[in-house]
Amino acid sequence: MKKQHLLAPGPTPIPSEALLAMARPILYHRSPAYEALFAHVREGLKSLFRTEHEVLMFTASGTGAMEAAVVNTLSPGDRALVVVGGKFGERWAELCQAYGVEVIPVEIEWGKALRPEQVTSALEQDPSIKAVFVTHSETSTGVLHDVRALAEVVKEKEALLIVDAITSLGVTEVETDAWGLDIVVAGSQKALMIPPGLAFCAVSKKTWAAVGRSKLPRFYFDFQATKKSQEKNQSPFTPAVSLVAALKEALDLIQAEGLEKVIARHKRLSRATLAGVEALGLEPFAERPSPAVTAVKAPEGIAPKEIVKAMRTKYGITIAGGQGKLKDTIFRIAHLGYADESDVILVLSTLERILSELGYPAKLGEGVRAAQEIFLKSEG
Ligand SMILES: *Cc1c(COP(=O)(O)O)cnc(C)c1O
């Protein structure tokens, strides 16, 4: 028997409250019971996204909401600035290109963090830019870009700021209204602690004006139709009813812990993981680490996929390797959503064993000790 532990950056583990909600008999979606459930979820989403505006919900993985953000705001031939510093930044660029939007990339070396001046100068050179797309927590490199600082420079301009917050919402501060973010995209299988299948867009007032002007084709992901239905606690098409039932439980758990405490917990897990790998002599990959996931450079002579494979096959622990061009460089330990200190201790102690088995001179206990010291000093 091998107990399974999921420490990948999505899907993430699901708390029993959410699992049990999905086991209950399904509700008819055109019924008062579903409408009451969805009304509760709509309020919970607003408080999680820190917005007083409607948060639109789609039945899709996170990329569906990314696509919705593009097709509801832009027109063919529009120009968009896209921050590209990893796989998910590339996805924004590919999505825009698929719809005939001209992409002006702001290239960042993978692992490095955006300097907001890079965006300011690009916007000043080309005032016709309609939108700036950014990935808040770039899951592929483990970098958290400074969206708050970026929002400061974009909010003076006409352009919309469209943020992939798929691994930052419920992990770190995402102040939709206070920072002036125009669209904030999230997905269900990351810090929302439920299975894949729901995706979200928080939409600002400034964005709604752009929606009226935008001419890209859309049907399933239409913002206006979705908003109109949601205001009646409905959706234009059959919603993923059981996922919505699970979402209610997850939002209630976040509310019960308190969003500030949820964010503090993720910070603590991230700091302990970073301290642990550094104590083992390994180097974190991200210049500005995301509290959702710790990307670590594999030591000289050991392929990251060997570490990932040993974790899974010998110890039942799922972590992630590198994506794209980072495949042979890094492995990634996630600590988002339904994650706590015991997960960090488990993964670090197992990493020590695996590294020793692979012939790397790791001192057993050193990584765990560094993490414990962080936990001792920052009681949850
Ligand atoms: C997981 C993830 C996505 C969405 O991917 P889906 O597979 O469509 O859910 C997008 N952006 C980031 C940063 C992610 O971590």
Side-chain angles (χ1 to χ4, degrees):
M1 197 276 270
K2 201 166 283 136
K3 197 166 168 182
Q4 298 296 313
H5 305 271
L6 183 53
L7 282 81
T12 62
I14 303 170
S16 54
E17 288 86 343
L19 288 170
L20 289 169
M22 292 185 289
R24 287 201 295 265
I26 196 163
L27 297 174
Y28 177 51
H29 61 296
R30 310 288 181 209
S31 70
Y34 178 80
E35 286 172 5
L37 168 71
F38 191 40
H40 183 100
V41 162
R42 284 174 61 213
E43 284 314 305
L45 287 171
K46 284 182 194 172
S47 89
L48 177 62
F49 280 78
R50 309 278 297 148
T51 180
E52 51 180 50
H53 303 293
E54 189 69 21
V55 178
L56 306 178
M57 182 184 82
F58 301 97
T59 302
S61 79
T63 307
M66 293 172 72
E67 179 152 340
V70 172
V71 299
N72 283 278
T73 54
L74 298 174
S75 299
D78 276 354
R79 303 173 132 215
L81 208 67
V82 181
V83 176
V84 183
K87 179 122 188 310
F88 293 104
E90 284 181 347
R91 185 166 301 178
W92 275 134
E94 288 162 11
L95 248 167
C96 285
Q97 280 155 353
Y99 281 99
V101 170
E102 192 184 327
V103 169
I104 300 154
V106 177
E107 299 277 359
I108 299 168
E109 190 187 332
W110 289 30
K112 297 285 185 274
L114 170 74
R115 285 175 295 104
E117 317 82 83
Q118 295 173 274
V119 169
T120 322
S121 62
L123 282 177
E124 267 154 18
Q125 272 168 35
D126 186 349
S128 74
I129 290 167
K130 290 284 193 316
V132 177
F133 290 89
V134 69
T135 315
H136 192 185
S137 163
E138 178 47 87
T139 317
S140 66
T141 61
V143 169
L144 184 74
H145 292 300
D146 190 349
V147 161
R148 182 186 196 162
L150 179 62
E152 281 297 313
V153 310
V154 179
K155 80 174 177 214
E156 328 259 280
K157 316 279 183 213
E158 282 288 298
L160 300 174
L161 179 55
I162 301 182
V163 182
D164 171 352
I166 294 179
T167 56
S168 64
L169 186 84
V171 171
T172 185
E173 291 81 1
V174 179
E175 291 287 340
T176 302
D177 288 359
W179 295 352
L181 310 179
D182 291 306
I183 297 185
V184 175
V185 173
S188 53
Q189 80 275 27
K190 310 282 169 104
L192 282 171
M193 308 181 282
I194 62 171
L198 291 179
F200 309 92
C201 287
V203 182
S204 74
K205 217 169 136 198
K206 180 172 162 190
T207 303
W208 281 111
V211 172
R213 295 188 297 267
S214 127
K215 294 201 171 51
L216 282 175
R218 61 229 183 209
F219 181 76
Y220 189 72
F221 290 120
D222 190 90
F223 272 11
Q224 277 159 327
T226 304
K227 176 162 181 275
K228 206 166 144 220
S229 278
Q230 287 195 189
E231 283 164 355
K232 295 178 279 182
N233 293 316
Q234 278 293 337
S235 54
F237 314 106
T238 313
V241 175
S242 301
L243 291 179
V244 177
L247 179 58
K248 177 200 174 282
E249 300 300 326
L251 290 169
D252 287 354
L253 285 172
I254 291 172
Q255 171 113 52
E257 185 176 353
L259 186 53
E260 266 177 43
K261 287 216 165 133
V262 170
I263 291 170
R265 170 166 53 84
H266 283 92
K267 257 187 203 128
R268 207 160 56 242
L269 299 184
S270 156
R271 285 178 52 217
T273 307
L274 287 164
V277 297
E278 283 181 311
L280 295 173
L282 303 182
E283 198 185 332
F285 182 69
E287 177 182 30
R288 193 172 185 276
S290 165
V293 58
T294 299
V296 186
K297 283 192 201 165
E300 222 22 72
I302 299 179
K305 64 170 183 280
E306 282 186 77
I307 296 171
V308 173
K309 185 173 167 210
M311 282 270 179
R312 186 180 62 242
T313 57
K314 295 184 71 173
Y315 300 99
I317 300 172
T318 300
I319 61 168
Q323 290 170 285
K325 61 183 171 197
L326 297 178
K327 190 164 66 68
D328 299 320
T329 313
I330 62 168
F331 60 95
R332 294 172 300 148
I333 300 167
H335 28 70
L336 78 163
Y338 191 49
D340 72 5
E341 296 178 2
S342 60
D343 295 308
V344 170
I345 297 299
L346 172 74
V347 76
L348 287 173
S349 61
T350 308
L351 182 61
E352 292 170 354
R353 271 173 78 175
I354 290 173
L355 290 173
S356 305
E357 286 164 1
L358 292 172
Y360 173 86
K363 280 221 194 75
L364 293 183
E366 288 295 304
V368 169
R369 177 209 298 269
Q372 296 276 47
E373 274 163 11
I374 300 278
F375 291 144
L376 264 177
K377 276 186 278 185
S378 62
E379 217 58 58

